[in-house]
Amino acid sequence: MLNFFVRKGVRKILKRKDSDAGERGRALEDLRSTLFNEFRSADGAKRQQQQRCGPATALTFNFVIAVGIIFVNKLVLKVVGFQFPIFLTFIHYVVSWLLMAILNALSILPACPSKTTRLSTLFTLGFVMAFSTGLANVSLKYNSVGFYQMSKIAVTPSIVLAEFLLYNKRVSFSKVLALTVVSIGVAVATVTDLQFHLFGACIALAWIIPSAVNKILWSSLQQQENWTALALMWKTTPITLFFLVALIPWLDPPGALSFNWNFNNTLAILMSAILGFLLQWSGALALGATSAVTHVVLGQFKTCVILLGNYYLFSSNPGKTSISGAFTAIAGMSIYTYLNLELQSSKTSPRQAASLPKSKLSKENGNTHDGNYGLESV
């Protein structure tokens, strides 16, 4: 009998240990499954992107990469002598697609939203991406940097007008004044570097509308339909590649395949392509975290910083007029940023005061966002 109870007690202890081990194993498996679903689901991936990459981080990331790729592309176009801007853009997107394919094979690429976006919208985004990026590089080839920046000024009112027509999105009068100061400052800063080229001017004008639509779609799809930057890039890159191939015979000179593809030249182009992927990703993150107009203002800020940096660090003398224009533009950007921060702080208080059951009810009714997109200012 004693042996029986001993064996029975041992069996209970072993059973309890096995049960505890099983519970711990199930808990660990549930945790792994939760983390995996949190990343692989569109909503979870969107939350992760918002938590890890806020507006300040996204804009800083995009600014650093944008400045870096300017010098690398200058090396490729001037020193290496790769005079094929559309084909260079095509290489950028091919490398981007290959990197995202690797992430997808490793199950690291975020999932697409369960709510299906219309194919026509994704097709339009891929189309304008090809034209905005490709025509920008062609414009840089034929125009001076000053003329290129002057043409970028027209993107801001184009975005404001398009968002008003499409989403009834209004801009406050104070922000209009700030954006006007920014545009005037950039125009004055770059007026000393204006070189007119008829074909380049036509390319710059043709680039304005695709660039504005591209930024608006990137921002609205991420903010309204829970797309993440990488998932949207993965869906639209094949469409962009198709249109870039169609543009190459029209805008690139012949002889790309007969270029001297030695190790150093190929390495420089590959470095430009990797930075191109990071630029597209950081730009998408910035557009998802802020707005299309804010992203354009960041581009103008980059121009002013490069101009002032060349003046203070490399003793370049663009003239007092250009320097005054750069400081004027930066002052306008500071006012615009302050107005945005003030607007965000005023929106945060009512949202924090809202009750939890009300937010749950809105989610159950299918309202995944505020529904006031058309009433918000840029």
Side-chain angles (χ1 to χ4, degrees):
M1 292 291 293
L2 181 62
N3 292 333
F4 171 78
F5 284 113
V6 168
R7 288 197 299 269
K8 187 176 180 180
V10 170
R11 285 199 301 270
K12 287 183 178 180
I13 294 174
L14 292 177
K15 185 177 180 181
R16 185 168 62 250
K17 288 184 177 180
D18 292 340
S19 177
D20 293 341
E23 289 178 359
R24 287 196 298 269
R26 284 192 296 273
L28 182 60
E29 187 65 28
D30 290 341
L31 178 61
R32 290 175 180 174
S33 177
T34 301
L35 293 175
F36 181 78
N37 291 333
E38 179 73 11
F39 185 75
R40 288 297 297 169
S41 67
D43 294 337
K46 183 63 178 178
R47 285 193 296 269
Q48 291 291 326
Q49 177 176 300
Q50 291 174 342
Q51 291 173 1
R52 298 179 181 180
C53 194
T57 304
L59 290 173
T60 304
F61 182 30
N62 183 240
F63 176 79
V64 171
I65 297 298
V67 172
I69 200 173
I70 287 176
F71 296 103
V72 175
N73 280 349
K74 185 176 182 180
L75 173 70
V76 172
L77 295 173
K78 300 296 182 182
V79 179
V80 176
F82 191 77
Q83 298 295 322
F84 311 97
I86 301 294
F87 191 61
L88 179 63
T89 307
F90 176 78
I91 294 174
H92 284 189
Y93 278 97
V94 168
V95 171
S96 298
W97 187 83
L98 290 176
L99 291 174
M100 287 185 291
I102 294 174
L103 295 177
N104 188 48
L106 297 174
S107 298
I108 300 177
L109 196 71
C112 299
S114 56
K115 179 183 177 182
T116 57
T117 303
R118 288 184 301 177
L119 183 60
S120 59
T121 304
L122 297 176
F123 183 85
T124 302
L125 180 56
F127 172 80
V128 296
M129 280 173 60
F131 275 82
S132 63
T133 311
L135 293 179
N137 287 337
V138 176
S139 178
L140 278 173
K141 178 183 177 181
Y142 288 98
N143 298 318
S144 63
V145 175
F147 192 90
Y148 176 71
Q149 293 300 328
M150 287 285 286
S151 64
K152 286 179 68 175
I153 294 175
V155 176
T156 304
S158 300
I159 290 175
V160 172
L161 178 61
E163 288 188 327
F164 174 74
L165 295 176
L166 295 175
Y167 304 110
N168 196 28
K169 194 174 183 181
R170 302 174 185 274
V171 182
S172 63
F173 180 72
S174 56
K175 287 189 178 182
V176 170
L177 288 179
L179 292 173
T180 303
V181 172
V182 172
S183 300
I184 293 174
V186 173
V188 173
T190 57
V191 72
T192 57
D193 188 29
L194 292 181
Q195 298 176 7
F196 182 79
H197 187 282
L198 181 59
F199 180 73
C202 294
I203 292 295
L205 289 175
W207 165 79
I208 292 173
I209 299 301
S211 178
V213 176
N214 180 36
K215 294 180 185 298
I216 291 171
L217 288 177
W218 272 105
S219 182
S220 62
L221 284 175
Q222 289 185 81
Q223 294 180 10
Q224 303 302 311
E225 299 191 19
N226 280 341
W227 281 93
T228 58
L230 284 175
L232 198 52
M233 287 167 59
W234 173 247
K235 284 293 183 180
T236 55
T237 296
I239 303 172
T240 303
L241 289 173
F242 172 79
F243 283 105
L244 285 174
V245 170
L247 284 176
I248 288 175
W250 296 95
L251 297 176
D252 266 359
L257 297 180
S258 60
F259 178 74
N260 183 20
W261 294 91
N262 57 38
F263 178 77
N264 291 332
N265 293 346
T266 305
L267 183 63
I269 294 173
L270 183 61
M271 185 185 305
S272 172
I274 294 175
L275 285 176
F277 164 71
L278 294 176
L279 180 65
Q280 185 188 1
W281 184 28
S282 63
L285 289 173
L287 286 167
T290 57
S291 67
V293 175
T294 301
H295 191 254
V296 174
V297 171
L298 175 68
Q300 307 289 14
F301 177 71
K302 174 190 65 180
T303 302
C304 297
V305 167
I306 291 175
L307 188 148
L308 295 175
N310 286 332
Y311 174 72
Y312 285 105
L313 298 177
F314 304 107
S315 301
S316 125
N317 188 15
K320 294 182 180 179
T321 303
S322 296
I323 294 175
S324 301
F327 278 114
T328 302
I330 290 176
M333 295 169 197
S334 301
I335 297 172
Y336 177 80
T337 303
Y338 170 75
L339 293 173
N340 268 342
L341 293 175
E342 192 178 44
L343 179 64
Q344 289 177 1
S345 62
S346 64
K347 286 181 179 179
T348 303
S349 300
R351 288 179 181 176
Q352 289 178 346
S355 60
L356 183 61
K358 183 178 179 180
S359 63
K360 285 184 177 180
L361 181 61
S362 63
K363 287 182 180 180
E364 290 175 359
N365 290 334
N367 298 325
T368 56
H369 53 83
D370 292 340
N372 296 327
Y373 182 71
L375 301 179
E376 294 178 358
S377 56
V378 179

